[in-house]
């Protein structure tokens, strides 16, 4: 499968703490994206990291990519209750017949308690 | 800009009925796609389009048809609904090849087939 796998499946923390979610994948990729989904809503794009990048920041978000280990992590610093959502990684295929497609993982459910 | 809109928000069908899920975007995006989201399965690609008149199959195309007569609209047709098609359906668009660009998602259609 070209799907990424997030770990952990669920994460529960207090406001102000940092939250770290991991994504592992099996095939080579050209890009990796992270999305957030609030309950009952569509997905919202957070960040895209290309295969030749190792780290990217956006506000309180930090994403790392290690292509040798086929893994990525999403760090949310100083979490807020409003960060409660499911977080998905999506890997971009670099293979011929599926070139350019996105494959989504099953997600990490993050709960941030006030 | 309304972004990506989907109608209806909710639908209940009986087995064997057909229906069309509507998707429209006002961002002039060439790339559009349909995903289904099932509990514990992440998002799976049903069909996609890289421009008006051009469509192709994704991972789980059976039982669904699409067409793209305009840049703005990308309807998904269920030919003969089955309980296995009970799911939440998301339409997405992007300005370039999926893996390399941010995907804009609609709010979803929750479909139940009895």
């Amino acid at each position: 499968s070209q799907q990424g796998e997030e770990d952990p499946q669920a994460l529960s923390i207090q406001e102000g703490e940092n939250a770290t979610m991991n994504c592992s994948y099996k095939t080579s990729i050209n890009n990796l994206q992270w999305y957030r989904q609030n309950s009952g809503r569509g997905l919202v794009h957070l960040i895209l990291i290309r295969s030749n990048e190792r780290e990217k920041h956006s506000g309180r978000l930090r994403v790392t990519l290690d292509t040798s280990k086929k893994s990525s992590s999403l760090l949310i610093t100083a979490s807020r209750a409003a960060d409660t959502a499911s977080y998905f990684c999506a890997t971009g295929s670099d293979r011929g017949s599926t070139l350019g497609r996105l494959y989504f993982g099953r997600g990490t459910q993050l709960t941030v308690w006030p | 800009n309304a972004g990506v809109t989907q109608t209806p928000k909710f639908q209940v069908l009986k087995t064997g009925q057909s229906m069309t899920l509507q998707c429209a975007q006002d961002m002039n995006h060439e790339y559009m796609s349909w995903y289904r989201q099932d509990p514990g399965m992440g998002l799976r690609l049903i069909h996609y389009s890289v421009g008006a008149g051009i469509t192709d199959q994704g991972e789980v195309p059976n039982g669904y048809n699409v067409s793209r007569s305009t840049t703005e609209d990308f309807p998904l047709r269920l030919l003969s609904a089955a309980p296995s098609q009970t799911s939440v359906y998301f339409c997405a668009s992007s300005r370039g090849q999926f893996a390399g660009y941010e995907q804009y998602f609609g709010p979803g259609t929750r479909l139940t087939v009895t």
Side-chain angles (χ1 to χ4, degrees):
Chain A
S1 167
Q2 300 187 54
Q3 193 178 29
E5 292 291 337
E6 290 92 343
D7 173 65
Q9 286 188 329
L11 181 60
S12 187
I13 59 174
Q14 295 290 132
E15 263 191 333
E17 295 180 339
N18 294 344
T20 300
M21 287 157 270
N22 302 297
C23 172
S24 60
Y25 56 92
K26 293 187 177 146
T27 62
S28 60
I29 62 170
N30 51 18
N31 300 303
L32 187 144
Q33 302 186 30
W34 284 92
Y35 287 82
R36 184 188 76 230
Q37 183 181 33
N38 290 87
S39 181
R41 313 290 280 274
L43 279 72
V44 174
H45 180 262
L46 295 176
I47 204 161
L48 181 153
I49 186 165
R50 303 194 187 280
S51 58
N52 61 355
E53 297 175 310
R54 291 296 166 257
E55 190 169 309
K56 211 160 179 183
H57 295 254
S58 176
R60 292 185 296 112
L61 306 181
R62 173 178 167 250
V63 168
T64 62
L65 179 63
D66 187 335
T67 53
S68 67
K69 294 182 180 176
K70 292 187 167 59
S71 69
S72 174
S73 68
L74 169 67
L75 168 68
I76 304 174
T77 59
S79 296
R80 306 165 181 166
D83 294 326
T84 294
S86 291
Y87 292 82
F88 295 87
C89 71
T91 52
S93 171
D94 69 349
R95 295 189 165 185
S97 62
T98 59
L99 180 66
R101 288 193 199 172
L102 273 179
Y103 290 88
F104 286 83
R106 293 182 171 89
T108 292
Q109 172 61 50
L110 172 66
T111 303
V112 182
W113 298 99
Chain B
N1 279 1
V4 179
T5 58
Q6 291 183 239
T7 55
K9 284 188 166 48
F10 301 94
Q11 183 71 48
V12 179
L13 289 179
K14 292 190 188 317
T15 297
Q17 288 184 318
S18 63
M19 77 159 296
T20 299
L21 279 63
Q22 302 291 345
C23 173
Q25 51 91 10
D26 62 359
M27 297 173 281
N28 203 32
H29 287 169
E30 291 294 329
Y31 288 72
M32 296 186 74
S33 52
W34 276 102
Y35 293 88
R36 59 178 288 174
Q37 184 177 35
D38 301 298
M41 293 291 291
L43 274 75
R44 291 182 291 170
L45 181 65
I46 304 171
H47 284 286
Y48 64 96
S49 170
V50 299
I54 307 169
T55 64
D56 206 346
Q57 297 181 350
E59 298 173 80
V60 288
N62 292 343
Y64 308 95
N65 263 359
V66 291
S67 60
R68 183 103 178 267
S69 56
T70 67
T71 299
E72 294 77 20
D73 300 300
F74 190 42
L76 177 72
R77 295 184 193 81
L78 277 70
L79 308 172
S80 177
S84 60
Q85 293 178 304
T86 293
S87 188
V88 182
Y89 291 85
F90 290 100
C91 178
S93 74
S94 62
R95 62 183 180 90
Q97 190 188 61
F98 307 108
Y101 291 83
E102 171 182 355
Q103 300 295 305
Y104 292 81
F105 282 85
T109 294
R110 187 173 295 273
L111 175 69
T112 302
V113 182
T114 61

